Amino acid sequence: MPNLPKVALITGAAKRIGAEVARHLHAANFNLIIHYHHSEPEALSLADELNAARENSALTIKADLNDQDQLNALAKQASEQWQGLSLLVNNASSFYPTPFDKASESDWEDLIGSNLKAPYFLAQALAPALTAAAGCIINIADIYAEKPLRNHIIYSIAKAGNLMLTKSLAQELAPRVRVNGIAPGAILWPEQADKLSDEDKEKMLAKIPLQQRGQAQDIAKAIMYLVKDAPYVTGQVLTVDGGRSLTI
């Protein structure tokens, strides 16, 4: 039987941090399932880029992770495309303010769904494939999982659950599957960065001991460490925030 490729599914992989993670994993000879929901042009462009570098090494799949049928279909296609799966990166995440007195049930369903429910059920659906491959799960948490971000109460609750999901899955799926998390700080400005004034950005940077915003590659490199160079690490959440969590 020919050697099967290492295969990774990255949710929300079309752009920003997800795309950078995809490029790093591809350079490490992973074949990639590039999941997206709304960002089809970016997903297709990324797949073209990676397939030009290595033929038949990247596939795009569209899915709404808050729809259980679409989630299950994504898991099935991802695990069957190259006859296995060795890495799941739960990167997709909704993020927006929900002031306590104005938050709606739909806000709750969306934020809990993308940040907690979807990672749980993807892990459940892909556990057999990951177990067979002695693979890994990486969850993208947040420094606000432990200390809440004002006016983002539902998001903070969801990421707190994501942190516990990481620890719980590490216990449930041991010894064959390692499960770890990454808690980013200020890595990229929000996509609505035009709403942040230069003064706002300066105030945010002033709270970071390293006095600078991180880069998407900082997260990608942390993931590569956990996947390739940390065989005795599971159930941990690695904070990559320039020291910001020291001053929250």
Side-chain angles (χ1 to χ4, degrees):
M1 178 181 291
N3 290 330
L4 295 175
K6 296 178 294 183
V7 181
L9 165 60
I10 309 169
T11 66
K15 54 186 181 178
R16 294 170 63 84
I17 289 174
E20 188 67 19
V21 172
R23 292 185 177 98
H24 274 70
L25 288 170
H26 190 264
N29 292 317
F30 276 83
N31 283 2
L32 297 180
I33 307 294
I34 299 168
H35 160 263
Y36 70 96
H37 185 199
H38 299 296
S39 303
E40 183 171 41
E42 294 89 346
L44 294 176
S45 176
L46 177 60
D48 287 345
E49 172 192 329
L50 300 180
N51 283 321
R54 180 156 41 88
E55 188 177 359
N56 189 35
S57 60
L59 173 74
T60 63
I61 303 178
K62 179 179 181 178
D64 178 355
L65 297 181
N66 286 334
D67 182 308
Q68 195 67 26
D69 290 338
Q70 292 186 44
L71 182 150
N72 288 335
L74 168 64
K76 184 175 188 295
Q77 188 175 354
S79 59
E80 291 179 352
Q81 175 66 24
W82 287 289
Q83 302 176 53
L85 191 83
S86 46
L87 173 62
L88 167 62
V89 180
N90 283 309
N91 170 71
S93 168
S94 295
F95 173 79
Y96 49 84
T98 52
F100 176 66
D101 59 344
K102 295 182 174 63
S104 66
E105 183 178 9
S106 63
D107 292 333
W108 176 276
E109 296 294 340
D110 179 47
L111 287 162
I112 297 294
S114 65
N115 289 290
L116 181 56
K117 181 181 177 182
Y120 177 94
F121 283 104
L122 273 176
Q124 183 188 71
L126 292 168
L130 291 165
T131 298
C136 299
I137 297 174
I138 305 292
N139 292 324
I140 302 300
D142 197 298
I143 59 173
Y144 297 111
E146 297 189 81
K147 297 182 179 180
L149 176 61
R150 182 174 294 277
N151 289 326
H152 291 71
I153 182 170
I154 301 177
Y155 175 81
S156 297
I157 291 168
K159 285 303 190 185
N162 186 284
L163 187 153
M164 182 52 68
L165 175 65
T166 298
K167 295 177 180 294
S168 297
L169 285 176
Q171 188 174 59
E172 295 288 339
L173 297 178
R176 291 284 293 173
V177 178
R178 293 187 301 109
V179 185
N180 291 293
I182 301 288
I187 301 299
L188 297 172
W189 296 125
E191 290 190 271
Q192 306 83 7
D194 57 329
K195 296 181 180 179
L196 287 176
S197 67
D198 289 340
E199 183 181 359
D200 289 334
K201 293 177 182 179
E202 288 176 7
K203 286 180 180 178
M204 291 176 67
L205 293 176
K207 296 177 182 178
I208 301 172
L210 292 187
Q211 295 287 289
Q212 61 183 345
R213 178 175 57 83
Q215 304 295 323
Q217 65 179 356
D218 294 319
I219 303 303
K221 289 177 179 179
I223 288 175
M224 293 306 302
Y225 159 71
L226 289 172
V227 171
K228 293 185 63 182
D229 299 320
Y232 200 55
V233 176
T234 194
Q236 304 303 306
V237 176
L238 177 60
T239 300
V240 183
D241 70 347
R244 173 70 178 95
S245 53
L246 299 175
T247 62
I248 290 177

